[in-house]
Structure formats: C-alpha cells, structure tokens
Amino acid sequence: MRINNLFNEKKMVFSLEVFPPKVTSSIETIYKMLEELKGVNPDFISVTYGAGGAATSNRTLEIASLIKNKYNMEPVAHLTCIDAKEDEIKEILRNLKNEGIENILALRGDGNPDTAGRSNDFKYASDLIQFIKKTDDFNVSGACYPEGHIDCRNLDKDIENLKIKQEAGASHFISQLFLDNEYFYSFMDKTIEKGITVPIQAGIMPVINKKQIERITTLCGSNVPKKFMKIMDRYEHDPIALRDAGIAYAVEQIVDLISSDVKGIHLYSMNNAYVAKSINNSIESIIKSVNK
Ligand code: FAD
C-alpha cells in the first residue's frame, strides 16, 4: 500500500517510527519489539536510516522487509543522501524493490565526519526525491520542521524549500517533534499560504528521559514549554513517574491535534513498545471516531 493512498482513504493516519538496533546489538531486539506491538496496528511503521549512511543503514532494509513480509504491516524506509553516490542509491532502490517496499522517506541527513566530502551527487533532500522519482516507481515522502530547520532560521524560507520537495514529487511530509502544538498550527497556516497541498503528519515524541529531550531539543532547536520542563524537573529521579507523565503529555498533545483535524500522527516510539502501546490504548477510540 502506498502511503499517499492511505491519506485518501482515512481522515487520520496513525504511524510509528522505529530505529535499527546498533550493529553490536542483536536484531532480535527489534523482533521482540514488533512482537510486543501486536495489537497496535499502525497504518505504517517507518524505519530510520543511520546518519551519513552508517553501518546500521543495512538494517533499515532488513527491518523494513521484516515489517512487510513477516508482520504484514506497511513499512516506510528512511533513506539519506548526504555524501552518497548515485550508484549506491540506485543499488539501495533495487534492494528495496526486491523486498516489495513501496514507500521511502527521502532525507538529506546530517554530515558524518567519517563520510564527509566523499560525494557531491546530492545536496538537498529534494535532489534525492527527484532522483528516486526518475529512477523507479516509489511513493516518496519528506521531512518538515514546524519551528524551522536548524540550518535555516527563517521559517518562511524553510517552507519555500519544503515546496521544492513537493514539486520534486514528495506526496506527504512528516514533521520534526514539537512540544507546543501552537508552533505546529502556525506552521500549518504558513504551509497553506505557500501552496503546500500534500498531507502533513505531526511528529510526536513521548519523552521519558530528561537527558534525552535536552539532547534532542538542542540538536533540532525545538522550544521546550515551561509546563513540560516542570514535569521533567519534578520527576527526573523517578523513572516510572517520569515515563507516565511523558506518556500523559504526549496523549494530551495528540488529542488536541486530532481534535484540530490534523491529517496524521507519527509517533517517535524510541523502540519502546510499552510507551507506544499505552499511547495507542489512550487514543484508539478517538482515531476510530474520526475515521468513522
Ligand atoms: P532538506 O530538505 O534538504 O533541508 C535541509 C536544509 O536545507 C534546510 O535548512 C532547508 O531549508 C535547506 N534547503 C533545502 N532545499 C534547499 C534549496 N533548494 N536551496 C537552499 N536551501 C535548501 N536523519 C537521519 O540521518 N536518518 C533518518 O532516518 C532521519 N529520519 C528523519 C525523519 C523525520 C520525520 C525528520 C523530521 C528528520 C529525520 N532525520 C533523519 C533528520 C534529517 O536528516 C535532518 O533534519 C537533516 O538535517 C535535514 O534533512 P532534510 O531531509 O529535511 O533536508
């Protein structure tokens, strides 16, 4: 199933993101997580690709294939292009095709010192989107940034660049995480003004670790609301309370987004089946009601 068709069939699409385990860890950890996720039934599961084409990237194909061929769910394979050569991308596309994978989330990626400067074949994600569309018949999605991408501090300009990805053939966008829905709503208004017409899914990360959110928000430049920080500070030394407060915060964000007619929710599961299941249980009836 192509992701673009899902958005025609459903008012609200719900998906999960998983990442491949480190090469030093057994692939069994992901089997275990997928087993534990039985009953959640997301519309698709996306599988991340290692920064700069790192060794874990090979596992993206393996896990996407597992999702498709063993668990009969729809995978979206992430693919980055920074420092990659056209021939390498062509080979990855061939391998994805051979495994029956139809959906790709095409990204630029972030520079990796180990691979920096080895190729200039692709500069931006839009180059990769165009290349994939020219090479084979995949459905291609892209990433977007409600608070602006960290390299482009002008949100209007960043949205103009997003439009280039739409024009290159992206059929849908998934957003970076945000902790304050108002940024997402204001971003959505701007995308409409700038002529973005493809569906945009809101990326939500349930935060269950204070250090993790500090690292991520520094990397991606997302604002951290006071209300959120209060929770982190209050429960940082009580992991169970922090996990439950993080889940409750994410559920509150999601309920507000769905009630505001967002086209989809993409849950950054952080490979934590308990958290994904808890959130799914809390929002299942709401999603059903919207899709009735
Ligand atoms: P682009 O769309 O190329 O944008 C990068 C920057 O270039 C932006 O500032 C943009 O405004 C600017 N730009 C774009 N086009 C032009 C143009 N034509 N002219 C001038 N400027 C331009 N990283 C991974 O390594 N692996 C993953 O699996 C992964 N998955 C992700 C999933 C999601 C949903 C998101 C939101 C991010 C993910 N990332 C992943 C991180 C992503 O690779 C980084 O955020 C990266 O810095 C930008 O990637 P992009 O595809 O958005 O780049």
Side-chain angles (χ1 to χ4, degrees):
M1 153 83 81
R2 286 165 173 258
I3 299 306
N4 53 330
N5 292 334
L6 262 179
F7 285 94
N8 295 332
E9 284 172 16
K10 291 189 161 192
K11 285 200 184 122
M12 226 297 300
V13 168
F14 176 62
S15 58
L16 297 180
E17 179 174 298
V18 299
F19 55 82
K22 287 194 178 124
V23 272
T24 46
S25 306
S26 156
I27 197 88
E28 297 297 327
T29 56
I30 207 88
Y31 286 3
K32 190 167 168 278
M33 154 133 187
L34 292 170
E35 285 294 328
E36 283 171 13
L37 279 177
K38 276 186 179 161
V40 171
N41 295 324
D43 291 307
F44 67 86
I45 300 185
S46 82
V47 187
T48 66
Y49 192 86
T56 51
S57 312
N58 302 333
R59 290 189 151 182
T60 305
L61 174 69
E62 188 181 354
I63 294 164
S65 170
L66 189 74
I67 291 169
K68 176 104 191 172
N69 300 312
K70 181 166 184 322
Y71 290 93
N72 297 316
M73 291 194 275
E74 204 49 58
V76 172
H78 295 210
L79 178 60
T80 67
C81 62
I82 194 165
D83 302 323
K85 297 180 181 164
E86 284 192 354
D87 284 351
E88 295 162 345
I89 298 289
K90 267 192 186 154
E91 194 188 334
I92 294 171
L93 297 180
R94 268 196 301 273
N95 292 337
L96 289 169
K97 203 78 192 181
N98 288 341
E99 295 298 322
I101 292 153
E102 297 178 276
N103 301 291
I104 298 175
L105 176 59
L107 301 140
R108 182 195 71 180
D110 292 309
N112 175 336
D114 296 341
T115 52
R118 64 183 286 278
S119 166
N120 292 318
D121 286 355
F122 302 93
K123 191 165 183 194
Y124 298 114
S126 52
D127 301 328
L128 177 62
I129 296 169
Q130 210 168 31
F131 184 77
I132 298 172
K133 295 304 278 185
K134 197 176 67 185
T135 308
D136 213 329
D137 181 28
F138 286 97
N139 175 65
V140 186
S141 303
C144 66
Y145 302 83
E147 296 171 68
H149 183 261
I150 197 133
D151 296 349
C152 179
R153 296 322 296 174
N154 180 327
L155 184 56
D156 287 316
K157 183 76 199 139
D158 201 37
I159 297 174
E160 281 162 25
N161 292 334
L162 189 62
K163 179 113 184 270
I164 300 176
K165 293 203 262 196
Q166 175 177 282
E167 283 159 359
S171 69
H172 134 256
F173 294 118
I174 302 180
S175 94
Q176 176 72 276
L177 74 98
F178 54 90
L179 297 164
D180 179 344
N181 289 359
E182 292 311 315
Y183 286 102
F184 185 77
Y185 298 139
S186 149
F187 168 74
M188 289 303 290
D189 289 345
K190 282 178 189 275
T191 59
I192 293 163
E193 272 167 33
K194 298 249 181 235
I196 308 277
T197 52
V198 301
I200 297 181
Q201 262 186 295
I204 295 294
M205 181 179 284
V207 183
I208 52 169
N209 175 318
K210 190 180 174 195
K211 285 218 171 73
Q212 163 209 358
I213 194 63
E214 283 171 349
R215 191 177 58 81
I216 293 171
T217 51
T218 307
L219 279 177
C220 70
S222 299
N223 280 286
V224 181
K226 269 195 194 139
K227 177 177 149 184
F228 180 84
M229 216 49 229
K230 226 193 278 178
I231 296 175
M232 293 294 117
D233 291 342
R234 179 70 182 80
Y235 306 112
E236 69 176 306
H237 301 299
D238 185 339
I240 303 291
L242 185 63
R243 179 197 69 192
D244 290 349
I247 291 172
Y249 191 93
V251 168
E252 192 187 321
Q253 268 193 289
I254 295 171
V255 172
D256 179 57
L257 287 159
I258 298 178
S259 309
S260 306
D261 290 333
V262 70
K263 296 261 190 293
I265 300 289
H266 185 69
L267 193 68
Y268 294 103
S269 79
M270 305 305 287
N271 288 9
N272 187 322
Y274 175 88
V275 171
K277 274 165 90 172
S278 304
I279 292 181
N280 181 67
N281 291 345
S282 300
I283 62 170
E284 210 171 11
S285 62
I286 298 166
I287 295 179
K288 269 197 191 132
S289 169
V290 171
N291 282 330
K292 236 182 347 216

